[in-house]
Amino acid sequence: MKPSWMLLVVGITVQFTNAKGLACGKTATIFSTRISNGKDAEEGEWPWHGALYYRTRQNQPYQYRCGATLIGPRTVLTAAHCIVPNGIAILPYNVQVKFGMISRNLPGSNAKSYGVQRIVRHDRYDPKTFQQDIALLRTVEEVHFSDYIQPVCLPSASQKEIFELGHTVGWGLNGGDQLEDTLQHASLPVVSYTSCLRSNPTHFATVLARDGESNFCIGGTGNVNVCQGDSGGGFFQVRDHSWVIRGIISTGPRTDRQMHGRCDTSQYVTATNVSYFREWIYKVQNGWRNNLLDLADCGTDYHDVSIPEEEKPTFLQYPWISVVEYKMFEARKPQAMCGGVLIHPRFVLLAGHCVCESCASISLNSVKLGDYNLSTDPDMETMFGDSMTTYTQTIPVEKFIRYPTTTNQSRYANDLALIKLSHPADLGSVNVRPICVPMEAVYPIGNPATVSGWKRAGDAASVVQRESVHLVDNGLCEQQYGRIRVEQGVRESVLCVERRVKATNCGSFLSGTPLQNVRTDHDGINRYYLRGLYAFGLSRCNHNFTDVYVNVKYAEWGRSEGTEGFSIGGEQVINPSLYPWHVAIFVQGKYGGGGSLISDSFVLTGEIRHVS
């Protein structure tokens, strides 16, 4: 933020509540009525303003990126471009927000850091025009309010008018083109649509909303303006005796002499109009949970929704598919006999007939995650012209739970089982991620879906295969398999799937291979949802023959009171974000036990295995 002049305004300290009944828009400290443009802020003066940090890889340090604004116990408002740098979306676990901070380099005892569980950018955000430049972050845990950390109010439905003057806060670039260490605040005027457009037609004809409502212009007062590093922060005004966020700092023109994309402080800047997106904000807040386990990162498809499934690569596209390995009588190495799907860092779903409690010559041994070519380890493939090497994770089975059946039921009735791994999978690897488990029970007949996994035999059976299929009426499967006296069990417990295109490999998939579909969620992210697991079929190239899949949503997932997750056979599957302090300890690559994070440097644990 670049300083120049001063303006006299009045600061008001009053308790107010937002539409959700939460106290907001107040400060516990009494500060000077003279707010200086581009001058140092006092502690507690802007308790809702935060700093957004991110890293591009897990082994890299966090770097300051943008400003952010606290609007609820777990909800943070920022600009969409702040979490999509260079067109690449930053994953939630690589983002951190800090509140209660005045100095960037020396945060102080009042500052608190929070991890991010979920990121929702507006589904119509355009990185070329900066239209709909708004995003919401959901923190892993609730933000602890104090005299130095408080939420600001959202404008009410009746507060649509934007006053002529507002206030911005940030650590943006100063006159020396360096990020400020101490938080700065400034008063900036609101500029009319016409004045803004005329000031720089080439730039503002692109970024300024044609409806004149979804964003507006501020600044342009000489050397006093927001600058790079202030993006994502709020533009605040006092309404009805409380502070309200009216805008989110978005973008402005760049000077010709600045080669690194820095701002031109003499020109106007656009701000996203928060009032315009008020209903969208409430919609997102009310619908954060879109999958059964409330996982923040599951089933993500990074391709545009317009790209057909068959045009996407198979390598790294389905990182939840897994191989279930068995100990065989007199066999030296575990044998891969079934497929499975990772639904949680600790749990894998598979077909029920892939487990056997009474078998003496065969037993579950381990699950191999992250594989692509079963005949090579590591896998080395080319993606977008770059060579990539991925390594598998083989995790022992701690226990398995077969879905309950009765003695008079068909073999394929409720044909579902759950494996609990001996330790959590490392989700930091790009080739190991869980798929989303849907909340809704019905996937309509006729809808397309995708099968991905390994074939039992045939050409390239060791490499991940993919087939596009459609759901058809279960009566067709009953008719076809009834002729060879194969009973499906309860009709609703299975899905009947038809291949409408001739397969390149006529072999059957491994039992437990996932059936999935892609959908765009309300947060604008495309995600894969698990619909079924391969149960049985016939090895035929006839493209209109059917296969039978276990309907994963027919199973009565039992929800436990007061928990986030589900249980099957009494085994509780918990959202890992509920216990963010829990850690897995490895000794020379082997799981040694669990522990609890008690500070930024120490983990509390008991005796660790594999340590002499």
Side-chain angles (χ1 to χ4, degrees):
M1 194 169 287
K2 300 192 174 183
S4 175
W5 46 270
M6 302 174 66
L7 183 70
L8 182 67
V9 297
V10 179
I12 302 177
T13 305
V14 177
Q15 180 169 341
F16 195 71
T17 59
N18 65 7
K20 301 293 183 182
L22 177 73
C24 62
K26 67 170 186 174
T27 60
T29 58
I30 299 176
F31 55 90
S32 171
T33 58
R34 187 178 295 273
I35 296 180
S36 303
N37 282 317
K39 296 298 182 180
D40 295 353
E42 300 291 333
E43 284 195 309
E45 197 170 354
W46 304 98
W48 37 81
H49 184 75
L52 188 148
Y53 291 75
Y54 77 76
R55 57 188 180 184
T56 55
R57 296 181 181 177
Q58 283 192 299
N59 59 352
Q60 292 182 341
Y62 288 96
Q63 294 184 337
Y64 174 77
R65 169 70 180 177
C66 281
T69 303
L70 186 66
I71 62 171
R74 294 182 66 184
T75 309
V76 180
L77 199 58
T78 189
H81 77 263
C82 289
I83 47 87
V84 192
N86 302 317
I88 301 174
I90 298 296
L91 297 175
Y93 54 77
N94 285 328
V95 179
Q96 191 178 76
V97 286
K98 296 182 181 181
F99 294 103
M101 187 170 69
I102 291 295
S103 170
R104 266 192 322 107
N105 298 320
L106 298 172
S109 59
N110 297 323
K112 304 295 180 184
S113 299
Y114 295 89
V116 173
Q117 182 192 62
R118 189 166 298 172
I119 298 173
V120 181
R121 67 180 184 276
H122 198 279
D123 56 356
R124 296 201 311 275
Y125 164 64
D126 187 338
K128 296 180 180 179
T129 66
F130 288 84
Q131 298 290 326
Q132 286 74 233
D133 193 13
I134 184 172
L136 285 172
L137 312 181
R138 189 188 194 196
T139 57
V140 172
E141 57 184 314
E142 285 197 359
V143 175
H144 177 68
F145 296 157
S146 67
D147 289 348
Y148 308 96
I149 303 175
Q150 291 286 328
V152 74
C153 297
L154 290 175
S156 67
S158 61
Q159 295 174 342
K160 295 183 178 181
E161 181 186 359
I162 301 175
F163 291 166
E164 294 180 356
L165 187 71
H167 312 284
T168 59
V169 191
W171 290 276
L173 296 178
N174 56 27
D177 286 338
Q178 299 293 320
L179 287 174
E180 290 281 2
D181 173 56
T182 303
L183 183 66
Q184 303 291 295
H185 58 171
S187 304
L188 295 174
V190 175
V191 182
S192 71
Y193 179 94
T194 302
S195 298
C196 190
L197 187 60
R198 287 177 177 173
S199 70
N200 189 333
T202 301
H203 175 76
F204 287 108
T206 300
V207 302
L208 196 58
R210 293 183 179 180
D211 59 14
E213 295 183 3
S214 59
N215 62 8
F216 58 92
C217 286
I218 60 173
T221 56
N223 289 328
V224 181
N225 216 335
V226 291
C227 196
Q228 187 178 9
D230 292 319
S231 293
F235 180 72
F236 307 107
Q237 296 182 333
V238 177
R239 291 297 301 266
D240 298 331
H241 310 295
S242 72
W243 285 101
V244 175
I245 180 169
R246 301 313 311 256
I248 303 168
I249 305 303
S250 180
T251 184
R254 300 168 182 171
T255 59
D256 294 334
R257 66 178 177 83
Q258 292 168 320
M259 302 301 293
H260 301 287
R262 296 192 177 99
C263 54
D264 183 350
T265 56
S266 66
Q267 300 203 49
Y268 300 134
V269 174
T270 56
T272 303
N273 186 353
V274 174
S275 293
Y276 184 86
F277 294 98
R278 181 175 172 273
E279 294 305 317
W280 177 82
I281 293 171
Y282 288 142
K283 180 181 177 181
V284 173
Q285 285 181 303
N286 293 333
W288 278 113
R289 187 163 167 259
N290 52 35
N291 61 85
L292 188 66
L293 298 183
D294 198 18
L295 296 180
D297 182 19
C298 65
T300 304
D301 178 17
Y302 296 99
H303 294 85
D304 188 83
V305 68
S306 64
I307 298 177
E309 195 70 18
E310 58 271 14
E311 294 183 12
K312 301 172 186 176
T314 52
F315 181 61
L316 299 182
Q317 187 65 19
Y318 312 101
W320 41 85
I321 59 176
S322 57
V323 178
V324 182
E325 299 179 320
Y326 297 79
K327 280 185 178 179
M328 305 287 289
F329 181 68
E330 294 184 347
R332 293 184 177 181
K333 295 182 178 180
Q335 303 296 307
M337 297 180 63
C338 278
V341 56
L342 187 71
I343 61 168
H344 178 280
R346 197 76 186 271
F347 293 90
V348 171
L349 270 180
L350 71 164
H353 67 264
C354 285
V355 300
C356 180
E357 298 175 282
S358 58
C359 298
S361 59
I362 180 173
S363 61
L364 279 172
N365 182 73
S366 53
V367 175
K368 184 183 287 187
L369 304 170
D371 212 342
Y372 176 71
N373 189 334
L374 299 179
S375 62
T376 61
D377 192 14
D379 289 324
M380 290 178 285
E381 299 289 330
T382 300
M383 288 282 287
F384 308 112
D386 295 327
S387 179
M388 293 192 66
T389 302
T390 57
Y391 297 85
T392 60
Q393 300 178 34
T394 300
I395 304 178
V397 173
E398 178 177 309
K399 63 186 295 187
F400 69 85
I401 306 98
R402 178 75 159 84
Y403 197 87
T405 58
T406 59
T407 55
N408 61 347
Q409 283 184 317
S410 163
R411 175 189 179 187
Y412 298 105
N414 303 325
D415 190 24
L416 194 66
L418 185 73
I419 285 178
K420 184 178 184 180
L421 304 175
S422 64
H423 63 78
D426 177 10
L427 301 186
S429 304
V430 294
N431 58 327
V432 179
R433 300 282 168 79
I435 194 172
C436 301
V437 179
M439 297 180 65
E440 70 279 3
V442 178
Y443 189 57
I445 292 173
N447 280 10
T450 303
V451 189
S452 59
W454 296 273
K455 293 291 186 84
R456 297 182 183 276
D459 296 339
S462 63
V463 179
V464 171
Q465 305 282 308
R466 172 177 59 204
E467 291 182 6
S468 296
V469 297
H470 284 77
L471 269 67
V472 296
D473 189 272
N474 281 5
L476 182 58
C477 281
E478 291 173 354
Q479 180 184 8
Q480 291 182 342
Y481 289 97
R483 296 170 186 166
I484 56 176
R485 298 184 179 181
V486 176
E487 294 184 13
Q488 298 177 184
V490 180
R491 172 179 276 213
E492 292 78 13
S493 69
V494 297
L495 298 173
C496 187
V497 170
E498 183 180 52
R499 296 191 299 268
R500 297 182 180 177
V501 178
K502 186 176 179 179
T504 55
N505 181 329
C506 300
S508 298
F509 282 101
L510 293 176
S511 294
T513 298
L515 175 75
Q516 61 243 315
N517 75 292
V518 179
R519 79 177 186 205
T520 303
D521 286 329
H522 63 77
D523 55 10
I525 297 177
N526 301 327
R527 292 186 178 89
Y528 285 95
Y529 282 83
L530 180 64
R531 297 299 172 181
L533 300 175
Y534 183 81
F536 62 87
L538 297 177
S539 299
R540 297 183 180 182
C541 280
N542 190 344
H543 64 270
N544 60 0
F545 212 81
T546 58
D547 292 321
V548 177
Y549 286 75
V550 186
N551 184 354
V552 297
K553 279 305 295 177
Y554 176 74
E556 294 181 0
W557 305 104
R559 293 192 61 79
S560 299
E561 191 68 29
T563 65
E564 291 292 333
F566 68 86
S567 63
I568 179 172
E571 188 64 39
Q572 184 69 30
V573 184
I574 296 294
N575 180 351
S577 67
L578 292 178
Y579 304 98
W581 49 84
H582 184 74
V583 299
I585 300 174
F586 291 81
V587 180
Q588 295 180 341
K590 295 182 178 180
Y591 179 69
S596 298
L597 186 68
I598 59 174
S599 77
D600 57 358
S601 303
F602 290 93
V603 170
L604 186 65
T605 186
E607 183 180 357
I608 303 299
R609 286 176 282 176
H610 311 303
V611 178
S612 59

